[in-house]
């Protein structure tokens, strides 16, 4: 199926001599094939050549302030090329044999959808002997290298001779993640950057403060005061002492530098958001006098200390941020006791004050969520140089309220909103139909489509006031809805397709379905699927039959040689855990689908059985003896405990978005989560938790195990 679909997709190029046609990729690449059937064999590349005039050049037009040089992008590309094609080529300034030449120039066609020059464009020229990527800047070259890697994967290592100019329609293409109501560790965020970079997305907007919500009409002030609220940046500066009292799930300046620079290395800019004056419970938990009476998740802007306190927070953190623009939130400032007009007046004052302050002390501009569109009868309106991120038609009309008034609007319309696991109104997966057919005038979605049902509400494709689209994923129901990786899972199937549309690509749904999994499996510098290379469907098998206690090596019989190491005693085809000994493997985690089976003979509870950085399978915790999985700081327990001092055959099963445990061939028990919805009711839902594989036993486990087997199906 897949192979023939690809042939169909490429048929146009393979069978014509000179043809103007897109190269199928995510996104597609405009291309004209040369006459003859020549192709460049990417696998036989002998050198990656950086035009020495531009080795130190950086892009100064993108959103980041820490843009890599052409030399740095070239180094990253060379490593990717080796990984994806196995080519072993040199990197330098001289052409040696078959070469990929990276240079910079200003070619015709380097323009965005509004006809403006863009630094992200590149030209691709392919001959039998070499490939030249001519970027408008090093960033343009970088996107060109993504095209080359993708073509290498899809065309079995070659790319046909020809040329094309490829230019993004919009300069803001990417994702938003709510890291306020759910923590995500820095390495996960970097893997996400690496993943989206392969699809030429350049923006990762991180929401760094927020709180859960309880309806103020129903619940007491005490309940509001105690709600989950977080501020993720951790500084010991006196101006913010006491603001972040949860250091474990926080980003230090060093963490944030790591995230920003690792993402920038692949062309992705982190846009940080600190949310106020709404969704700001963490600020009024810190300084109760700043909360609006009756609804303390809103700040009282009329309090003369409120704006100075927010300025003090920004002053502390602005030096951390390496982007030209920051996001001050300014979302959902709604209170049923006060009129919309009264709130809008103080809100506009707040936004303008921070706009001026942030620019004055850092030179950065700001973005806000669409909340109170300008009106003639307000005494003040938001400054026209504030970029608005539209999210809902009931808040504003992107075209009439902003674009027609020369205010730029990023499209984060909630047709593409995801809410983790459950929502009364939002989806848990991107809608592919909407991506490929979301233009009310016919055709695919594009960043200028704010309303997929009514074209009257959409600006033209070439509007200069649409920087692009950012697809948002929210954690409305908090920290225990999901694992870290489930944030990726929710986007996995649809986001690359949306990336094609954010760039202005022409991929069809059939083409996407044919190539997505192939490209996904080749994405460099990430393993978000937590796949493990394996010769057969058995990934790991320890039978402890012929292992030698003196070497400490536990043989893997799967054929993959994933041998383990242990100081535990091995006898009678089993491993004896005692004295805190453990068995360590070279593996980390296995993502969906998997079945991990093992025979276990425990002598006690409250111990870890299998541990990895992503998850841990435990028998008991504290006073509980239940089997449970830990992930993302939460425990998901079964109403089941392993019997002590006897053998049980157990299996941990990851199937689709669910995770199960079964013993002795009995019925599967499911690990689920119970999530609270606005303090009003609970919802039970699935958890997709990876199999933990790095360490077996340890942490005080006493007992025996035998016959540990991991297979890649469930
Ligand atoms: C690039 O920068 C490096 C380090 O600053 C310097 O040694 C080198 O001469 C520069 N190269 C060019 C071509 O300017
Ligand atoms: C590139 O050329 C176009 C005209 O073809 C011009 O408008 C643009 O400013 C040039 N850009 C640079 C960076 O030189
Ligand atoms: C690339 O190959 C073409 C011929 O296919 C040749 O004309 C050109 O000089 C080569 N470029 C470089 C930089 O070697
Ligand atoms: C891919 O290329 C390799 C190496 O040249 C060749 O052995 C293989 O047959 C090719 N596969 C396809 C599907 O063309
Ligand atoms: C404050 O943070 C800085 C930078 O992270 C660190 O070097 C310093 O030791 C910290 N000071 C205190 C008192 O914790
Ligand atoms: C935005 O415009 C206002 C008023 O015109 C000005 O004071 C401010 O400096 C501008 N800010 C930015 C980021 O350009
Ligand atoms: C301001 O104008 C809007 C319509 O543009 C209207 O709904 C609102 O009531 C007006 N407010 C006041 C205070 O006049
Ligand atoms: C879990 O997967 C099933 C089947 O694919 C799907 O119907 C369901 O919506 C998914 N659940 C979530 C929370 O994504
Ligand atoms: C996806 O979008 C299409 C087109 O707007 C719509 O008809 C369909 O109901 C949506 N599907 C879901 C699951 O929301
Ligand atoms: C489409 O949008 C326009 C402008 O907002 C509105 O006047 C019109 O009623 C809408 N049409 C439909 C069918 O909803
Ligand atoms: C995992 O199992 C589910 C349910 O059987 C199936 O729909 C899905 O395709 C499987 N996924 C993989 C990657 O095999
Ligand atoms: C080991 O476990 C596998 C997978 O559950 C099972 O097929 C096999 O029969 C077991 N071997 C022994 C010796 O128990």
């Amino acid at each position: 199926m897949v192979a023939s679909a690809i042939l169909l997709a490429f048929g146009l190029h393979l069978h014509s001599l000179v043809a103007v046609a897109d190269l199928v990729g995510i996104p597609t690449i405009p291309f004209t094939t040369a006459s003859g059937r020549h192709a460049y064999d990417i696998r036989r590349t002998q050198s990656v050549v950086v035009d020495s005039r531009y080795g130190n050049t950086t892009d100064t037009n993108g959103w980041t302030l820490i843009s890599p040089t052409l030399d740095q992008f070239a180094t990253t590309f060379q490593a990717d090329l080796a990984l994806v094609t196995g080519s072993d080529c040199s990197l330098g300034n001289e052409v040696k044999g078959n070469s990929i030449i990276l240079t910079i120039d200003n070619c015709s066609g380097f323009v965005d959808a509004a006809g403006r020059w863009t630094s992200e464009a590149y030209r691709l020229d392919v001959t039998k002997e070499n490939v030249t990527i001519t970027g408008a800047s090093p960033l343009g070259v970088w996107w060109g290298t993504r095209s080359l890697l993708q073509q290498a994967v899809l065309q079995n290592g070659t790319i046909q001779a020809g040329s094309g100019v490829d230019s993004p329609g919009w300069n803001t293409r990417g994702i938003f993640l709510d890291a306020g109501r759910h923590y995500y560790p820095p390495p996960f965020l970097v893997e996400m950057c690496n993943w989206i970079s392969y699809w030429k997305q350049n923006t990762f907007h991180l929401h760094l403060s927020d709180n859960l919500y309880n309806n103020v009409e129903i619940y007491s002030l005490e309940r509001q005061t105690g709600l989950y609220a977080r501020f993720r940046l951790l500084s010991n500066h006196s101006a913010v002492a006491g603001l972040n009292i949860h250091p474990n799930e926080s980003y230090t300046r060093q963490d944030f530098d790591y995230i920003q620079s690792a993402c920038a290395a692949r062309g992705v800019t982190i846009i940080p958001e600190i949310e106020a004056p709404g969704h700001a419970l963490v600020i009024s938990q810190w300084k109760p006098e700043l909360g609006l009476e009756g609804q303390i998740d809103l700040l009282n802007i009329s309090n003369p200390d409120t704006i100075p306190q927010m300025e003090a927070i920004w002053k502390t953190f602005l030096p951390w941020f390496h982007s030209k623009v920051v996001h001050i939130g300014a979302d959902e400032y709604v209170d049923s006791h006060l009129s919309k007009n009264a709130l809008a007046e103080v809100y506009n004052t707040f936004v303008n004050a921070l706009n001026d302050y942030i620019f004055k002390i850092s030179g950065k501009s700001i973005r806000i969520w669409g909340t109170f569109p300008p009106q003639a009868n307000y005494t003040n309106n938001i400054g026209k140089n504030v970029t608005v991120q539209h999210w809902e038609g009931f808040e504003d009309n992107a075209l009439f309220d902003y674009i027609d008034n020369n205010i730029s609007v990023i499209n984060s319309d909630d047709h593409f909103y995801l809410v983790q696991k459950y929502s009364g109104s939002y989806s848990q997966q991107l809608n592919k139909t909407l991506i490929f057919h979301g233009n009310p005038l016919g055709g695919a979605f594009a960043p200028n489509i704010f309303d997929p049902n009514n074209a009257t509400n959409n600006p033209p494709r070439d509007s200069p006031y649409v920087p692009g689209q950012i697809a948002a994923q929210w954690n409305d129901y908090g920290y225990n809805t999901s694992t870290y990786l489930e944030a990726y899972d929710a986007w996995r199937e649809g986001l690359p397709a949306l990336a094609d549309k954010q760039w202005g690509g022409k991929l069809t749904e059939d083409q996407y379905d044919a190539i997505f999994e192939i490209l996904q499996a080749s994405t460099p510098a990430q393993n978000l699927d937590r796949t493990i290379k394996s010769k057969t469907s058995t990934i790991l098998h320890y039978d402890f039959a012929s292992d030698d206690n003196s070497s400490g090596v536990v043989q893997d019989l799967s054929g993959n040689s994933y041998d383990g190491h242990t100081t535990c005693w091995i006898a009678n085809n089993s491993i004896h855990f005692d004295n805190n000994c453990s068995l360590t493997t070279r593996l980390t985690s296995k993502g969906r689908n998997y079945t991990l089976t093992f025979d276990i003979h425990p002598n006690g509870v409250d111990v870890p059985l299998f541990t990895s950085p992503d998850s841990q399978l435990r028998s008991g915790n504290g006073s509980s003896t239940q089997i449970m999985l830990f992930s993302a700081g939460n425990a998901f327990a079964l109403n089941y405990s392993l019997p002590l001092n006897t053998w049980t055959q157990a299996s941990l099963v990851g199937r689709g978005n669910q995770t199960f445990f079964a013993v002795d061939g009995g019925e599967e028990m499911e690990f689920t989560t119970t999530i609270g919805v606005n303090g009003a009711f609970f919802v039970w839902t699935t958890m997709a938790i990876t199999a933990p594989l790095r360490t077996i036993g340890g942490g005080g486990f006493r007992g025996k195990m035998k016959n540990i087997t991991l297979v890649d199906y469930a």
Side-chain angles (χ1 to χ4, degrees):
M1 261 309 271
V2 169
S4 65
I6 289 173
L7 276 183
L8 204 68
F10 291 125
L12 254 176
H13 320 292
L14 296 178
H15 301 298
S16 54
L17 293 181
V18 185
V20 180
D22 294 338
L23 293 178
V24 177
I26 305 176
T28 53
I29 304 146
F31 204 72
T32 305
T33 52
S35 56
R37 289 180 178 232
H38 297 305
Y40 177 81
D41 190 335
I42 301 170
R43 293 160 302 189
R44 293 173 62 184
T45 299
Q46 286 162 282
S47 59
V48 170
V49 181
V50 178
D51 184 333
S52 59
R53 292 172 297 171
Y54 304 112
N56 286 346
T57 302
T58 57
D59 171 38
T60 53
N61 293 275
W63 292 116
T64 184
L65 294 168
I66 49 169
S67 198
T69 62
L70 184 58
D71 277 336
Q72 288 166 335
F73 272 137
T75 303
T76 309
F77 167 59
Q78 183 204 19
D80 288 351
L81 190 66
L83 194 78
V84 170
T85 67
S87 92
D88 172 24
C89 61
S90 66
L91 173 66
N93 298 120
E94 272 161 50
V95 175
K96 290 181 198 143
N98 289 352
S99 297
I100 297 171
I101 299 146
L102 310 179
T103 186
I104 290 173
D105 203 348
N106 188 6
C107 306
S108 66
F110 282 1
V111 290
D112 69 9
R116 296 168 297 199
W117 180 81
T118 161
S119 68
E120 294 189 276
Y122 68 94
R123 184 187 159 97
L124 188 63
D125 290 288
V126 183
T127 68
K128 204 164 170 291
E129 289 78 23
N130 56 45
V131 173
T132 305
I133 301 176
T134 307
S137 75
L139 184 58
V141 171
W142 171 253
W143 300 134
T145 65
R146 303 306 88 186
S147 299
L148 203 55
L149 292 175
Q150 289 195 6
Q151 292 309 305
V153 170
L154 293 171
Q155 305 200 47
N156 196 22
T158 64
I159 178 167
Q160 66 241 54
S163 62
V165 169
D166 193 14
S167 198
W170 295 270
N171 68 27
T172 301
R173 308 178 302 279
I175 54 173
F176 161 98
L177 184 59
D178 176 357
R181 292 176 288 199
H182 193 304
Y183 171 73
Y184 296 94
F188 169 77
L189 298 177
V190 171
E191 271 191 276
M192 287 299 294
C193 285
N194 296 350
W195 184 57
I196 67 174
S197 167
Y198 201 45
W199 323 117
K200 301 191 175 85
Q201 289 179 309
N202 64 6
T203 300
F204 194 1
H205 172 176
L206 279 181
H207 186 65
L208 295 167
S209 64
D210 210 324
N211 53 270
L212 294 184
Y213 172 78
N214 273 182
N215 189 334
V216 290
E217 302 301 322
I218 305 172
Y219 300 107
S220 64
L221 187 64
E222 289 69 43
R223 253 181 104 166
Q224 317 296 328
T225 310
L227 269 181
Y228 182 94
R230 293 292 185 272
F231 188 92
R232 295 291 177 203
L233 301 174
L234 183 67
S235 160
N236 56 18
H237 195 289
S238 58
V240 293
L243 171 58
N244 180 347
I245 54 171
H246 300 277
N248 287 346
E249 297 198 330
S250 293
Y251 308 118
T252 62
R253 185 168 188 170
Q254 197 182 8
D255 293 332
F256 216 68
D257 271 341
Y258 158 67
I259 297 165
Q260 291 175 98
S261 53
C263 291
R266 288 180 178 272
V268 177
T269 303
I270 297 288
I271 306 293
E273 175 183 345
I274 295 173
E275 171 76 277
H279 291 260
L281 182 61
V282 72
I283 303 205
S284 48
Q285 284 178 350
W286 175 48
K287 304 246 179 213
E289 67 279 10
L290 303 186
L292 194 62
E293 203 181 326
Q295 183 158 0
I296 59 171
D297 58 326
L298 305 185
L299 300 185
N300 177 5
I301 300 168
S302 304
N303 181 327
D305 287 340
T306 298
I307 288 173
Q309 280 297 351
M310 287 314 302
E311 289 176 349
I313 292 173
W314 278 102
K315 187 176 183 193
T316 305
F317 294 106
L318 277 167
W320 294 30
F321 301 147
H322 304 308
S323 53
K324 293 178 186 171
V325 60
V326 294
H327 202 299
I328 66 159
D331 190 16
E332 293 191 303
Y333 196 59
V334 189
D335 177 58
S336 49
H337 301 291
L338 296 173
S339 79
K340 202 172 166 181
N341 263 32
L343 286 167
E345 294 285 345
V346 288
Y347 172 97
N348 289 340
T349 303
F350 175 90
V351 169
N352 288 335
L354 283 180
N355 186 31
D356 286 344
Y357 181 78
I358 287 171
F359 183 67
K360 191 178 77 195
I361 70 165
S362 71
K364 298 185 198 299
S365 59
I366 67 164
R367 293 180 184 167
I368 61 170
W369 291 102
T371 304
F372 293 113
Q375 288 196 14
N377 59 5
Y378 288 164
T379 57
N380 60 351
N381 278 304
I382 55 160
K384 294 202 175 212
N385 52 19
V386 172
T387 295
V388 175
Q389 202 158 331
H390 157 92
W391 69 277
E392 231 302 337
F394 61 63
E395 292 278 4
D396 54 40
N397 181 298
L399 177 59
F400 305 141
D401 289 331
Y402 301 119
I403 292 168
D404 283 352
N405 292 313
N406 299 352
I407 295 173
S408 292
V409 187
I410 291 169
N411 189 347
S412 283
D413 187 81
D414 65 0
H415 280 95
F416 291 106
Y417 264 22
L418 301 186
V419 173
Q420 261 300 332
K421 292 298 168 74
Y422 164 84
S423 171
S425 34
Y426 292 116
S427 178
Q428 283 66 56
Q429 298 272 313
L430 291 173
N431 183 336
K432 243 170 70 192
T433 307
L434 206 53
I435 294 170
F436 287 102
H437 312 279
N439 185 339
L441 298 175
F445 168 80
N448 64 305
I449 309 297
F450 291 89
D451 185 339
N453 302 311
N454 185 345
T456 317
N457 295 317
N458 296 326
R461 191 176 168 94
D462 64 359
S463 167
Y465 293 104
V466 181
Q469 191 212 14
I470 295 178
Q473 181 172 157
W474 293 95
N475 284 301
D476 290 17
Y477 306 114
Y479 55 92
N480 72 337
T481 53
S482 52
T483 68
Y484 307 135
L485 286 166
E486 282 179 314
Y488 156 75
D489 291 344
W491 268 320
R492 182 187 188 279
E493 313 299 323
L495 190 71
L498 192 55
D500 175 80
K501 304 312 166 203
Q502 292 180 343
W503 179 272
K506 295 191 177 139
L507 202 60
T508 66
E509 195 167 356
D510 286 346
Q511 288 170 335
Y512 180 70
D513 291 344
I515 65 174
F516 166 62
E517 287 294 347
I518 298 167
L519 289 180
Q520 169 66 27
S522 72
T523 312
Q526 58 78 43
N527 184 13
L528 289 159
D529 284 323
R530 295 297 190 262
T531 56
I532 299 175
K533 272 211 173 82
S534 184
K535 292 191 168 130
T536 69
S537 62
T538 299
I539 298 168
L540 182 80
H541 183 204
Y542 295 153
D543 76 349
F544 307 103
S546 50
D547 298 317
D548 167 13
N549 278 303
S550 62
S551 71
V553 173
V554 176
Q555 261 186 61
D556 167 26
L557 306 179
S558 71
N560 294 320
S561 300
Y562 293 135
D563 293 353
H565 291 269
T566 189
T567 52
C568 304
W569 187 250
I570 293 169
N572 300 327
N573 299 349
S574 51
I575 177 166
H576 297 241
F577 293 95
D578 211 341
N579 298 323
N580 265 328
C581 75
S582 61
L583 165 54
T584 56
T585 76
R586 287 162 44 206
L587 306 177
T588 306
S589 303
K590 174 72 178 87
R592 60 181 68 174
N593 292 336
Y594 67 82
T595 305
L596 172 66
T597 52
F598 53 98
D599 291 0
I600 182 166
H601 187 287
N603 301 339
V605 291
D606 196 7
V607 287
L609 304 177
F610 290 80
T611 304
S612 83
D614 296 316
S615 58
Q616 182 177 59
L617 179 68
R618 290 185 71 92
S619 163
N621 184 38
S623 55
S624 160
T625 64
Q626 292 160 306
I627 283 286
M628 58 187 76
L629 273 169
F630 265 76
S631 191
N634 301 296
F636 307 95
L638 298 177
N639 188 13
Y640 171 80
S641 304
L642 283 173
L644 299 183
N645 306 314
T646 181
W647 283 103
T648 299
Q649 193 205 45
S651 30
L652 180 68
V653 180
R655 184 184 304 121
N657 55 19
Q658 292 169 282
T659 313
F660 304 92
F661 193 74
V663 290
D664 297 330
E667 211 176 299
E668 289 178 340
M669 298 169 268
E670 184 175 357
F671 295 95
T672 58
T673 184
T674 308
I675 57 182
V677 178
N678 299 340
F681 57 93
F682 293 100
V683 172
W684 282 262
T685 180
T686 56
M687 290 299 303
I689 302 179
T690 54
L693 301 166
R694 181 170 289 175
T695 308
I696 305 174
F701 175 59
R702 292 160 61 89
K704 295 179 272 190
M705 281 194 203
K706 60 183 182 187
N707 194 17
I708 300 173
T709 309
L710 175 71
V711 297
D712 71 359
Y713 53 85

